[in-house]
Amino acid sequence: MTYQGMIHRYGQLLDLPAHSKTISLLEGNTPLIPMPRLGKDLGCELYVKFEGLNPTGSFKDRGMTAAISEALGRGAATVICASTGNTAASAAAYAARAGLRAIVLIPEGKVAVGKLAGAIAYGAQVIQVQGSFDDALSLVVEITQKTPIALVNSINPFRIEGQKTSAFEICDDLPSAPDWLCLPVGNAGNITSYWAGFKQYQKGLPQVLGVQAAGAAPLVLGHPVDKPETIATAIRIGRPARGEQALSAAEESNGRIIAVSDEEILSAQKILAGEGIWVEPASAAGLAGLITETGKGSVDPKGKRVVVVCTGHGLKDPAIVTESFESPKIISATYEALIGVIRE
Ligand code: F0G
């Protein structure tokens, strides 16, 4: 049978209320791409779970199909979220599909163009907040407590239910759960979801390496960060809503939460692109963490099966590439000019 979306495939394993009305864009079912060359360098059997291939270009669609299906079934007319961009685009698309109004709050000037454009294109009301993601999330929590507007951030438990399915897919694609799972951590909904998913599926448990950006690493520092900063704007978050759960996932799995620099993130982004996988900067944090921890000897992937989760597509943040690489040369339209630059 052709694929009919994530709730159709795994719905029986998801704790969604009976009133839910499934809204799907056939999200999920993303490829687990073998990375033999890079795996050889690191001495492990390495895979990328490429979540950038979801309908709106990020893993958020897994949680959003669940959250919007529940909100619609409950009779909500309007949904709202705070977002560093991907949640906004995903909420906008699924709300559009469901015929609901979407309002998205984003930190002013700090959202990559592909995400902002998506949210606008799908018809959401986009509001820029003079503050951080954390400030926007506080506003969203307050308004959903005082009005019937439905909250679709990952504080919403149905987002977590939906996002568990990536762990199920990984276990279905491999003989069992991998030995290590490496992924970026922002508001900490996704690491919480993977850990819940692996525990539920009972095909083994990975050690979890959660990776924050050094300028936005509250879980590594052990305290909130008031002014988070990183080029990986998706994870520019100083007060993760599910921080405690992220720390528990790392601890229970005998894994860890670490921080990597922006340079290490950009370098990992280039390494992935060199393998044909273009991701946005935050999405490269998992690989950056694996490489740095392996270098330090604090993670030993030798002989292990390792999955790196790449959470969002490179098209989300094209500016990071066009700004940091040399611009393409311009030549006159002659053979001589062309052969000249090719021989350079
Ligand atoms: N990677 C990408 C591409 C993201 O967009 C996010 C979060 C994360 C990783 C981290 O996931 O928050 O569950 O720990 N983006 C949210 C947003 C905050 O608003 O789009 P998390």
Side-chain angles (χ1 to χ4, degrees):
M1 210 195 334
T2 54
Y3 184 69
Q4 293 181 54
M6 206 202 76
I7 293 181
H8 182 264
R9 181 163 175 195
Y10 292 114
Q12 285 177 335
L13 298 173
L14 307 181
D15 190 6
L16 299 180
H19 64 241
S20 297
K21 284 189 187 147
T22 301
I23 295 295
S24 174
L25 288 162
L26 307 193
E27 58 295 311
N29 200 23
T30 56
L32 189 67
I33 306 175
M35 307 291 288
R37 223 170 2 189
L38 194 51
K40 200 170 164 215
D41 292 345
L42 292 166
C44 63
E45 184 183 322
L46 185 66
Y47 298 85
V48 161
K49 179 70 170 163
F50 195 12
E51 288 287 279
L53 295 182
N54 274 294
T56 77
S58 85
F59 72 96
K60 304 287 180 180
D61 296 343
R62 292 181 188 274
M64 212 51 78
T65 181
I68 296 287
S69 297
E70 189 281 327
L72 177 70
R74 169 157 48 100
T78 304
V79 299
I80 193 167
C81 65
S83 180
T84 55
N86 282 322
T87 302
S90 185
Y94 283 80
R97 183 98 176 160
L100 302 177
R101 176 178 175 199
I103 304 169
V104 304
L105 270 59
I106 57 173
E108 183 192 11
K110 295 291 182 184
V111 168
V113 66
K115 306 175 189 182
L116 180 59
I120 296 170
Y122 296 124
Q125 180 177 355
V126 181
I127 301 170
Q128 300 203 58
V129 175
Q130 292 175 327
S132 65
F133 166 85
D134 306 287
D135 298 324
L137 185 57
S138 300
L139 283 174
V140 162
V141 168
E142 189 179 349
I143 203 148
T144 52
Q145 281 166 352
K146 295 180 177 167
T147 70
I149 301 175
L151 178 147
V152 293
N153 277 104
S154 60
I155 304 171
N156 177 325
F158 307 117
R159 284 275 312 276
I160 303 300
E161 286 302 304
Q163 285 171 212
K164 290 191 307 195
T165 56
S166 188
F168 303 163
E169 288 177 11
I170 291 171
C171 292
D172 285 345
D173 286 348
L174 297 174
S176 63
D179 299 303
W180 276 97
L181 182 87
C182 313
L183 79 171
V185 175
N187 210 27
N190 211 30
I191 188 170
T192 301
S193 309
Y194 272 97
W195 187 237
F198 283 116
K199 284 201 288 193
Q200 182 181 348
Y201 216 54
Q202 300 195 355
K203 295 267 177 76
L205 295 172
Q207 289 178 268
V208 178
L209 182 69
V211 187
Q212 301 206 288
L219 301 178
V220 178
L221 297 170
H223 58 78
V225 175
D226 283 335
K227 292 198 176 3
E229 263 322 328
T230 166
I231 48 103
T233 52
I235 52 173
R236 188 175 165 276
I237 293 175
R239 294 173 193 272
R242 291 190 184 266
E244 288 302 319
Q245 284 165 281
L247 292 169
S248 302
E251 195 183 308
E252 282 176 36
S253 77
N254 198 20
R256 43 207 311 225
I257 304 222
I258 56 129
V260 292
S261 67
D262 281 1
E263 291 70 34
E264 287 164 336
I265 288 174
L266 289 175
S267 158
Q269 186 193 27
K270 279 188 189 152
I271 291 171
L272 285 163
E275 297 285 336
I277 298 174
W278 181 30
V279 304
E280 65 166 283
S283 301
L287 178 64
L290 175 65
I291 292 173
T292 56
E293 292 304 288
T294 303
K296 284 185 204 158
S298 42
V299 167
D300 183 9
K302 293 261 171 328
K304 303 275 174 62
R305 190 176 283 137
V306 180
V307 171
V308 166
V309 181
C310 288
T311 43
H313 201 283
L315 285 166
K316 291 280 191 171
D317 193 357
I320 201 87
V321 177
T322 50
E323 281 162 14
S324 60
F325 284 71
E326 205 184 322
S327 298
K329 283 213 167 68
I330 299 173
I331 60 163
S332 60
T334 63
Y335 177 80
E336 286 71 28
L338 176 60
I339 197 75
V341 291
I342 288 174
R343 282 190 178 139
E344 255 172 32

